[in-house]
Amino acid sequence: MAAGDVAGGKTVAAQRQAWLVFEDEAGQTLRPPKARTWGRRGHTPVVPVSGKGSGRVSIAGLTCYRPGERSRLIYRTITHRGRKNERRSFSERDYIALLDAAHQQLDGPIVLIWDNLNTHISAAMRQMIDARDWLHVIRLPAYAPDLNPTEAVWSHLKRSIGNLAVNGVDHLQAIIKHRLKSIQYRTDLLDGFLAHTGLTLEPDTT
């Protein structure tokens, strides 16, 4: 059913000459993700982390595909500093601002594929989507990360910062932006992330 829904999205995108856009979110705290490395036998390498300070970087990303066009990665970050009453996730307005920016950058209609996060399906979000005739939304079924190429972006990012100790949340955000920018220039990676899902850009004709 999930693959069929996405195949329907490809058909809609082809009919509208639209971009097929997959959205997903990720986050990273000051604690570095674990990763493999080389070391002397019997001596496990240790990366010291101070444990001081707090903070988190949230990322919302779009992987964007259209036949004949260079694949794109568009993203936004929010830095959380642990302040009182600070929102810890993207709001509806944050998401729609990202989509509006993508629409301008891609210069074409968008068929958006994303999951059933509460913020994605709220009444406020539906109202904002309905006000944009260039935007068509398809929701993925629950527990289907294997159909979303943006998930592979986060996996690649976290591998690249494995065992990396940072000195604060601003340092962390700068590194994340630098690594994501490098992915933006790697269309081969973005195309590979889509291929890994088993999906293609060609609409079904049967």
Side-chain angles (χ1 to χ4, degrees), residues 74-118:
I74 302 171
Y75 70 91
R76 293 291 184 274
T77 63
I78 295 179
T79 301
H80 309 285
R81 304 181 186 277
R83 295 168 179 166
K84 187 177 180 180
N85 299 324
E86 180 184 58
R87 185 182 176 93
R88 294 183 55 82
S89 60
F90 283 81
S91 68
E92 287 89 347
R93 292 194 177 278
D94 293 327
Y95 284 119
I96 209 66
L98 172 60
L99 292 168
D100 284 341
H103 179 232
Q104 288 188 336
Q105 184 172 334
L106 299 173
D107 192 26
I110 289 173
V111 173
L112 174 67
I113 299 174
W114 63 5
D115 60 23
N116 293 296
L117 187 70
N118 289 343

Side-chain angles (χ1 to χ4, degrees), residues 175-191:
I175 290 174
I176 286 174
K177 285 185 173 182
H178 181 266
R179 301 296 165 84
L180 289 174
K181 186 175 182 179
S182 68
I183 296 175
Q184 286 179 316
Y185 289 104
R186 294 284 307 277
T187 56
D188 59 322
L189 269 181
L190 296 174
D191 292 341

Side-chain angles (χ1 to χ4, degrees), residues 1 25 43 46 50 52 59 79-80 83 91 98 130 145 155 171:
M1 180 178 69
E25 311 82 27
H43 295 80
V46 176
S50 69
K52 294 181 180 179
I59 321 159
T79 301
H80 309 285
R83 295 168 179 166
S91 68
L98 172 60
D130 290 343
S155 296
H171 184 204

Side-chain angles (χ1 to χ4, degrees), residues 129-149:
I129 291 170
D130 290 343
R132 289 157 173 81
D133 59 3
W134 48 265
L135 181 59
H136 179 84
V137 176
I138 294 175
R139 296 208 305 265
L140 286 167
Y143 310 113
D146 54 316
L147 292 175
N148 192 337

